[in-house]
Amino acid sequence: MGFLEILKAIFLGIVEGVTEWLPISSTGHMILVDDIIKLNMSDPFIEMFLYVIQLGAILAVVYIYWHKLVPFSFKDKKIMIRKNTVILWSKIAVACIPGILAYLLLDSLFDTYFMNSITVSAMLILYGILFIVIENYNKKRQPEVLKLSQLTYKKALQIGAFQALSIVPGTSRSGVTILGGMILGTSRTVAAEFTFFMAVPVMFGISFLKLIKFGFAFTGWEVVILLVGMISAFITSILAIKFLMTYIKKHDFKIFGWYRIVLGVIVLLYFFITGN
């Protein structure tokens, strides 16, 4: 039984690592996986686990983009402050404001009334269609923002407003933020990277709040399961992020739009047939 639970934790970590960064909705996948593969743990622990394994995914971003995210450099035994990195973090902070406000004010409401298969399916399909429409529209124009340094505070705040929409289950934090960046005139690469960077403080904060809500009185077995899930999410996230950044250099996001539409229909049919 113990080995089986570890395999489940590894699989859930893989799902989190892939779906958190590809714009295909981690919630849409987790709602299916959690119904099929249930951890033999308490409900409060499972709820916390599904959020806190995101820390593994976030650490993958920090690992890959360490040179862009750390505002300090060491030269001649002196600590130097990278001005451009400090400016980047200030833009990230501005962009996070709408999402933080939405989470604090509306998270319980949306979890209570909208965490269901119909809402998740509708959002999967809606944003899948939007990805296809926006990519077709962007064929007729060139992006205005080709580098992160060209991103203004105004655009950062506007992208943050899109991230706030991810409070609706099935939307996909990465998906809606990338979509928002593209609508506002950023390149796919800038939209994706800024999305990853915005997720660092937001997901750290959410995971910390979930930990506080659950409490820190873990059993030894719970610690093992949590660490296995986080490590699995970390390794998978590194692969997923590198794949996405390579893929979008030559391709658009339409394949993910079609995938979301298909997944939305599958989620709806699955829960309609099973009656859950």
Side-chain angles (χ1 to χ4, degrees):
M1 181 63 74
F3 180 68
L4 181 60
E5 296 309 305
I6 288 176
L7 289 178
K8 290 178 183 178
I10 291 172
F11 184 75
L12 289 169
I14 291 172
V15 173
E16 165 62 27
V18 171
T19 61
E20 188 62 51
W21 305 117
L22 302 187
I24 52 179
S25 175
S26 57
T27 305
H29 290 78
M30 285 296 189
I31 199 172
L32 271 177
V33 172
D34 184 50
D35 193 70
I36 299 170
I37 305 174
K38 281 192 175 294
L39 283 170
N40 188 25
M41 312 290 282
S42 67
D43 288 340
F45 176 83
I46 293 173
E47 179 188 353
M48 180 276 299
F49 173 87
L50 294 177
Y51 277 96
V52 176
I53 58 171
Q54 294 177 345
L55 289 175
I58 281 301
L59 289 175
V61 174
V62 176
Y63 173 78
I64 293 172
Y65 292 102
W66 179 265
H67 62 293
K68 288 189 177 183
L69 293 175
V70 176
F72 306 107
S73 62
F74 300 90
K75 188 176 182 181
D76 298 327
K77 298 182 179 180
K78 293 182 180 179
I79 299 176
M80 310 291 288
I81 297 177
R82 295 171 176 159
K83 183 180 177 182
N84 288 340
T85 307
V86 173
I87 293 173
L88 172 62
W89 272 110
S90 64
K91 291 176 182 177
I92 293 170
V94 168
C96 287
I97 292 172
I100 291 170
L101 291 176
Y103 180 81
L104 292 175
L105 296 174
L106 301 171
D107 181 61
S108 296
L109 175 69
F110 277 87
D111 267 357
T112 302
Y113 295 103
F114 296 98
M115 182 58 80
N116 55 65
S117 58
I118 294 176
T119 301
V120 170
S121 299
M123 293 302 102
L124 282 167
I125 294 169
L126 173 62
Y127 283 98
I129 293 170
L130 285 175
F131 262 114
I132 296 168
V133 171
I134 295 302
E135 282 289 11
N136 286 335
Y137 172 71
N138 278 350
K139 286 181 179 178
K140 305 172 186 176
R141 63 173 189 160
Q142 292 296 317
E144 302 169 5
V145 180
L146 300 175
K147 295 185 291 186
L148 280 170
S149 59
Q150 296 175 325
L151 196 67
T152 64
Y153 284 95
K154 180 181 178 181
K155 268 194 169 52
L157 183 63
Q158 290 171 330
I159 292 173
F162 276 92
Q163 179 180 245
L165 297 175
S166 67
I167 197 170
V168 183
T171 297
S172 169
R173 183 185 296 106
S174 63
V176 72
T177 311
I178 289 171
L179 197 63
M182 290 168 57
I183 290 171
L184 293 167
T186 71
S187 68
R188 296 186 190 98
T189 300
V190 170
E193 285 193 346
F194 195 64
T195 293
F196 299 157
F197 300 162
M198 284 173 62
V200 173
V202 171
M203 290 169 64
F204 261 124
I206 292 174
S207 296
F208 183 67
L209 289 174
K210 293 294 180 181
L211 275 172
I212 291 176
K213 181 180 178 181
F214 179 78
F216 292 90
F218 294 102
T219 66
W221 183 238
E222 287 174 338
V223 171
V224 169
I225 293 296
L226 189 57
L227 287 176
V228 167
M230 288 175 61
I231 293 170
S232 176
F234 173 77
I235 295 171
T236 310
S237 290
I238 290 174
L239 299 175
I241 291 169
K242 288 186 175 182
F243 161 76
L244 182 64
M245 297 311 295
T246 301
Y247 180 84
I248 61 177
K249 288 178 181 178
K250 296 181 179 180
H251 305 88
D252 59 28
F253 282 102
K254 283 195 285 188
I255 185 66
F256 299 108
W258 287 113
Y259 178 86
R260 288 179 64 102
I261 292 170
V262 171
L263 179 64
V265 173
I266 290 173
V267 170
L268 197 60
L269 288 175
Y270 174 78
F271 285 98
F272 177 76
I273 293 170
T274 59
N276 293 335

